[in-house]
Amino acid sequence: MTDDDRRGPALPSARGPLSAAVTAYLRGTGPLPAAEDAADAPPYGDDLQLALYVCYELHYRGFSGVPAAREWDPDLLRVRAALERRFLAALRADTPVHDSLDDALGALLVEPVHGTGVSHWLRDQGELWHLREYAAQRSLYHLKEADPHAWVLPRLWGRAKAAMAAVEFDEFGGGRGERVHARLFADLMNDLGLDTSYGRYLDAACPEALAVVNMMSLFGLHRALRGALVGHFAAVEITSSPGSRRLAEAMRRTGAGAAAEFFYDEHVEADAVHEQVVRHEVIAGLLEEEPDLAADVAFGIDATGHLEDRLGERLLDAWRAGRSSLRAPLAARETAPAPVP
Amino acid sequence: MPNAPCDPPGSARPDAPRRVRVQRLGPILVDGPVEVELEDGTTVRSDRFRVALCTCRRSRRYPWCDTSHRRRVQDPPS
């Protein structure tokens, strides 16, 4: 009997010395990187972000052939901590944080008349291949949608915990497996001819997409960052509803398919409720218990904006130049068509 | 959790008044599931744990809120 994970995705290809050493260590074929090596790696670069992503993934589904016990390997955790310090220091230094939590929330609660973000662009001129790339990049999160936020539940009490659990219950399908949001996203990917296997697009994803998911895991796995996790979650829920409407319009206009439209239509309505609950219950409840966390909540909101802006620029730069935003372009159809009976 | 033969104190009883949250700018929040009767006599339902009902009449998913009540601002200079 072995404790290796068998069903997880394959380990990704390395993107530099840190990710090469971490994946070799997990394969049992090489030593870990020295913790000092993380200290001068580019904090948002391919190599550090992938190495960190691989470390975090051991807390979710792991990788095929890697012992499940590696999740709590103290040497690996030491390396992960060095990667996290570098990433978090960059987030703290580079994020323009609002003066107050009210200002940070207020900036999200208005809509630009025109808008220049990725969802605006996709609504107005996105073609099917852009939507497929967008879904492949986002699949790193959406195939484990709401999982990183579940880590915060034991770190909240009372009103904040009850409300957070209620929103998570909704994200996890309200008790029905076929309505789990990760499952709805797999249905969207299927409409777009993408492979729905968990972790399938890790090799293809750009470092800006990895950084967004790494931030969630970082905030979720550290109790000390519970305020930032709540802020991050609020930012996602507040911006999701109007963004999802634009993406649903893009799916309709390009004829992407019924499940592709439904995923975003569902988020328009669900997240219009969630943002109210997160603001009035989760944030208010948390600050009632721990008023000192207000600055961390604001940091979580603004760090999310900072990393989402970087991802948006990366995607639009590529698409405006007619290039793929992925590290490996997609095949016309990523899965074999269903067999004809 | 322990088996509880009766509701704990303070829990919502069937005859307890239903709490509705109103706000000057934004939807009415009510605990779900709800059934809403529209002007044309048709009814729509939502089984969410909480439901946001549009009050600004701008929602494209009326009677549900879709955040269309939000203030529109000029785009920031890029």
Side-chain angles (χ1 to χ4, degrees), chain A residues 26-45:
Chain A
L26 292 176
R27 284 192 183 92
T29 59
L32 281 167
E36 308 86 77
D37 294 351
D40 42 30
Y44 305 111

Side-chain angles (χ1 to χ4, degrees), chain A residues 108-115 166 170 176 238 241-242 245 249 265-266 268-270 272-273 275-276 280, chain B residues 21 23 26-27 29 47-52 60-61 64-76:
Chain A
L108 294 183
L109 287 166
V110 293
E111 272 299 296
V113 173
H114 298 294
D170 229 20
R176 292 193 294 275
I238 293 172
S241 197
R245 177 161 90 199
E249 287 172 19
D265 280 337
E266 161 67 12
V268 172
E269 253 176 59
V273 177
E275 70 106 335
Q276 299 281 340
H280 298 310
Chain B
R21 184 191 181 105
Q23 36 192 346
L29 300 172
D47 57 1
R48 296 183 195 287
F49 71 95
R50 194 146 306 143
V51 180
R60 295 189 214 179
R61 304 184 71 81
W64 321 122
C65 170
D66 72 350
T67 71
S68 290
H69 57 271
R70 289 187 189 166
R71 192 163 58 85
R72 311 277 285 181
V73 292
Q74 285 304 316
D75 293 57

